[in-house]
Amino acid sequence: MAGSLRLTLPLRLSAVLLLSCWSCGIAGAARPAPSDVGLGRGGNASFVGAWCAGTKYPALCNATLSPYAAAVGASLTRLAWAALNVTHDGARNSTKAMKRMAADGHLAPVAAEAARDCVSMLGDAVDLLGQSVEAMEEAAAEEEGQAPQQSRRMARFRVDSVLTWASAALTDGHMCMEGFKGQAAGGGGVRKAVRGRVVGLVHLSANALCIVNAMANQTPP
Ligand SMILES: *[C@@H]1O[C@H](CO)[C@@H](O)[C@H](O)[C@H]1NC(C)=O
Ligand SMILES: *[C@@H]1O[C@H](CO)[C@@H](O)[C@H](O)[C@H]1NC(C)=O
Ligand SMILES: *[C@@H]1O[C@H](CO)[C@@H](O)[C@H](O)[C@H]1NC(C)=O
Ligand SMILES: *[C@@H]1O[C@H](CO)[C@@H](O)[C@H](O)[C@H]1NC(C)=O
């Protein structure tokens, strides 16, 4: 089963951060502070653009997050929240698409099983991203004084949990595509079709991870 191939969470987390968040961490650290670029609470697409520039897929990041510029304002917490919202939405879309594929009677048996594994893994990703979204909603409410401030330790635990969950979602997307590697799974055509349904989620997760990682770097240990 695909589950047995999955890495343990801490291992996944460090691998994923190295692979897809390294550049964001560096670029993120070099981002101008909101006050330096004349950003008000009202929002400014340049805040989104500036942070997106440091992600692995900047055009996708900007295209999906610019519509939230007003909701984000100049808050990295809200930007991370919006990024996780979009990724959660993407995971639901991928799950639905893979459910349709798994239900299609034309797949070879190996591919049909891989598609069912995908539905289960992507379903996990939806749940983990849902938890991440809730955690960021809490963090935003605290930042805005609408909820009592958690202790530093709890705030750190929360952002680390979100990193773990979002990286697990990224791994789930990768594992889903990996399941179609062999010829027995139907070859290039099927692989390409699966990639088309899942790669968006993988890219959105990588971007969200970068932004959450930047936020984690601003959260005291
Ligand atoms: C948005 O930010 C840019 C700089 O990045 C600044 O020139 C512009 O005036 C800002 N716009 C608003 C509406 O704050
Ligand atoms: C980001 O998207 C906005 C809105 O679509 C656009 O105006 C802006 O030029 C884009 N910025 C970058 C850096 O791509
Ligand atoms: C995230 O999604 C929720 C539910 O749709 C919405 O209320 C919230 O404003 C979104 N957050 C951001 C920062 O856009
Ligand atoms: C998910 O699907 C809906 C409906 O097709 C679409 O409007 C939305 O943009 C998709 N979201 C993502 C992140 O792919």
Side-chain angles (χ1 to χ4, degrees):
M1 281 306 293
S4 63
L5 291 171
R6 293 210 230 167
L7 303 172
T8 57
L9 282 182
L11 190 58
R12 281 198 224 181
L13 182 57
S14 51
V16 162
L17 288 179
L18 274 174
L19 288 174
S20 61
C21 251
W22 196 249
S23 66
C24 178
I26 291 166
R31 294 293 111 212
S35 54
D36 295 340
V37 287
L39 301 173
R41 242 343 245 119
N44 186 330
S46 71
F47 180 80
V48 173
W51 279 101
C52 279
T55 62
K56 195 163 180 194
Y57 307 99
L60 176 71
C61 178
N62 190 56
T64 52
L65 296 181
S66 288
Y68 299 96
V72 164
S75 159
L76 186 54
T77 305
R78 283 185 156 262
L79 182 63
W81 182 15
L84 288 162
N85 266 354
V86 169
T87 309
H88 187 217
D89 195 36
R92 275 192 300 238
N93 287 357
S94 294
T95 307
K96 261 189 248 159
M98 287 311 301
K99 254 186 198 154
R100 275 195 301 270
M101 195 172 177
D104 179 344
H106 298 100
L107 291 176
V110 172
E113 175 162 15
R116 285 192 296 272
D117 281 351
C118 273
V119 171
S120 141
M121 287 190 286
L122 296 177
D124 287 350
V126 171
D127 292 344
L128 293 171
L129 290 165
Q131 282 173 256
S132 305
V133 164
E134 278 172 29
M136 294 311 302
E137 182 171 7
E138 274 172 28
E142 284 165 32
E143 184 175 279
E144 285 146 32
Q146 286 158 14
Q149 197 78 38
Q150 296 281 329
S151 67
R152 270 168 58 164
R153 210 178 114 255
M154 283 309 295
R156 184 69 217 187
F157 177 71
R158 180 169 55 205
V159 74
D160 284 345
S161 299
V162 172
L163 280 173
T164 304
W165 296 330
S167 68
L170 172 57
T171 304
D172 284 329
H174 269 303
M175 293 291 304
C176 167
M177 294 191 292
E178 286 286 296
F180 290 85
K181 240 167 98 181
Q183 279 305 314
V190 174
R191 204 153 56 231
K192 202 168 159 197
V194 171
R195 188 182 153 79
R197 288 166 174 84
V198 178
V199 76
L201 163 64
V202 169
H203 291 180
L204 290 171
S205 313
N207 283 348
L209 261 173
C210 283
I211 294 167
V212 176
N213 194 43
M215 192 192 147
N217 289 340
Q218 293 186 358
T219 307

